[in-house]
Amino acid sequence: KNVASVMVTASFPPYLKKGQTIDIMVSSLGDATSLLGGTLLLTEVKGPDFNTYAVAQGPVIVGGLSGKSNRSMMLKNQTTVGRIPDGAIVEREVSITPKDPHHITIVLNEPNFVTATRASRAIEEKGYVGVKAMDANTIKIPIDKSKEYDFVETVALLENITFTPDTSSKIVINSRTGTVVIGQMVRLFPVALTHGNVSINIEDVPEFAYTFPGDDRHSKKQVSVKESSQKVIHLSPNSTLSSLVEALNEIGATPKDLVSIIQALKKSGALIASIELI
């Protein structure tokens, strides 16, 4: 009962050398209820090419708690997923070879035409002639052989160049946890907003003091309907992020209600933002 089948995964950062250590994620595959206090036996971590890139072993650290008795069971957070810090030793390196020794190519994490243009201009102002933004995601920088900087030092200097990236009007919603993140550039058209909740409660109320188990003739159904009263909020045309937050707080919207409100605002055309569900 104290042995579990697990899946071991890891992420290899670039320029990782043989003998270095990386973190390991251990996840239960079967019906085990907890990995708390468990130890991972020697396990090979293989890549998509079926070659062994690391070997992992060690005690599993779990961020949850679980307890069980004859009548009750207590569970807090996930107890079937754990980590082993520095639990794997790299046995095989992933080779990195520059395809173009005459250029340095920068790839943005988030494709954006404005951000790519601003980055190329900032790099060109630092003395790198011929910098060109190829598209919304790629910037190509020619390497000047006349300078005394080598490849590594040139990349280090490029990393210290600062500029202001473009801020997109995006709202990120995690419907599983009720988390909502609203960007600064979100704008609203004039709109009237209200939100109310309707709750229905059905109970069995006995008609007499004594009833028999399973006898529904001595009980009746009592249905109560409760609707919360909310006032209508008017959002002006120049509504910004702060005014939207104040209006949502004024009507007493919970995180779960906020998801429905934002979707309704987007459907009505009053919300100027893109919604991303994760």
Side-chain angles (χ1 to χ4, degrees), residues 50-216:
F50 299 102
N51 292 322
T52 300
Y53 284 85
V55 289
Q57 182 177 329
V60 182
I61 298 178
V62 180
L65 295 174
S66 64
K68 186 178 181 181
S69 64
N70 294 332
R71 295 184 177 181
S72 63
M73 179 176 179
M74 188 273 292
L75 183 65
K76 181 179 180 181
N77 297 334
Q78 293 290 335
T79 59
T80 57
V81 179
R83 294 183 63 89
I84 306 178
D86 297 330
I89 300 177
V90 177
E91 298 290 340
R92 186 186 182 95
E93 299 179 8
V94 179
S95 59
I96 300 177
T97 304
K99 294 183 178 180
D100 188 357
H102 303 290
H103 293 83
I104 295 176
T105 302
I106 297 178
V107 180
L108 302 180
N109 290 332
E110 297 290 339
N112 188 293
F113 285 101
V114 177
T115 302
T117 302
R118 292 179 181 177
S120 60
R121 290 178 180 176
I123 295 172
E124 191 173 9
E125 291 175 357
K126 294 297 182 178
Y128 294 90
V129 183
V131 179
K132 185 177 181 181
M134 307 303 296
D135 49 36
N137 199 33
T138 308
I139 302 173
K140 182 169 286 188
I141 307 169
I143 299 177
D144 191 359
K145 297 297 183 180
S146 61
K147 295 183 178 181
E148 66 274 10
Y149 304 134
D150 57 2
F151 177 81
V152 176
E153 193 170 358
T154 302
V155 174
L157 293 174
L158 290 173
E159 289 182 346
N160 291 323
I161 297 176
T162 60
F163 66 96
T164 303
D166 182 37
T167 304
S168 60
S169 57
K170 180 183 292 186
I171 299 177
V172 181
I173 298 175
N174 189 335
S175 58
R176 298 186 301 272
T177 60
T179 303
V180 180
V181 180
I182 304 175
Q184 182 181 2
M185 299 301 294
V186 173
R187 294 295 182 268
L188 288 170
F189 283 122
V191 64
L193 173 64
T194 183
H195 182 74
N197 295 323
V198 178
S199 60
I200 301 176
N201 186 26
I202 302 176
E203 296 179 348
D204 284 337
V205 180
E207 293 182 346
F208 303 98
Y210 301 97
T211 60
F212 300 97
D215 188 0
D216 293 336

Side-chain angles (χ1 to χ4, degrees), residues 14-25:
Y15 303 103
L16 202 63
K17 301 301 180 182
K18 185 176 180 180
Q20 291 185 282
T21 58
I22 57 176
D23 295 346
I24 292 296
M25 180 72 71

